Amino acid sequence: MDLSLTARAEGGRTVIEVAGEIDVYTAPKLREKIAALVDDGSYDLVLDLERVEFLDSTGLGVLVGGLKRVRTHDGSLALVCTQERLLKIFRITGLTKVFDIHPDVASAI
């Protein structure tokens, strides 16, 4: 399974729609996308994970790295996720305390 990334500006933030699997093979693509957006001056990001089918520890590392990257510019990285299997991963790892997780893009913005 591949990873599809689509970015758009919405409500003063940059929304990245993520679809597919975020794993050891595809995570670098997401890392590069976040880095490119931050380098271009987008410091307030929303990652829409509603179409993500799989997330491993490498993917979690990319999300944490992205959060650190935007925070160095006083930015933010919010997640949109309602899938219980992904939310369980965030709860088990304690990342629900680190990330703002929202049920939809509108509430994340």
Side-chain angles (χ1 to χ4, degrees):
M1 183 78 178
D2 199 17
L3 183 68
S4 166
L5 303 171
T6 309
R8 68 178 189 279
E10 186 175 328
R13 297 182 184 269
T14 302
V15 177
I16 305 169
E17 290 183 18
V18 186
E21 297 180 356
I22 306 173
D23 58 22
V24 68
Y25 302 106
T26 61
K29 185 176 177 181
L30 179 59
R31 181 184 299 115
E32 290 165 12
K33 183 68 168 181
I34 292 170
L37 288 167
V38 172
D39 290 346
D40 289 341
S42 297
Y43 306 133
D44 292 304
L45 305 179
V46 175
L47 265 63
D48 184 348
L49 304 178
E50 284 301 283
R51 293 175 48 215
V52 171
E53 297 168 14
F54 179 80
L55 176 67
D56 72 2
S57 60
T58 309
L60 288 175
V62 168
L63 296 178
V64 171
L67 180 62
K68 289 179 181 178
R69 187 179 288 262
V70 296
R71 282 190 175 166
T72 63
H73 299 281
D74 294 323
S76 63
L77 191 152
L79 304 178
V80 174
C81 183
T82 59
Q83 298 180 59
E84 187 54 38
R85 68 181 181 278
L86 296 183
L87 291 170
K88 185 176 182 180
I89 293 168
F90 290 120
R91 280 194 296 271
I92 289 170
T93 57
L95 291 175
T96 52
K97 296 177 181 79
V98 175
F99 287 104
D100 290 328
I101 302 176
H102 301 271
D104 53 44
V105 171
S107 65
I109 292 173

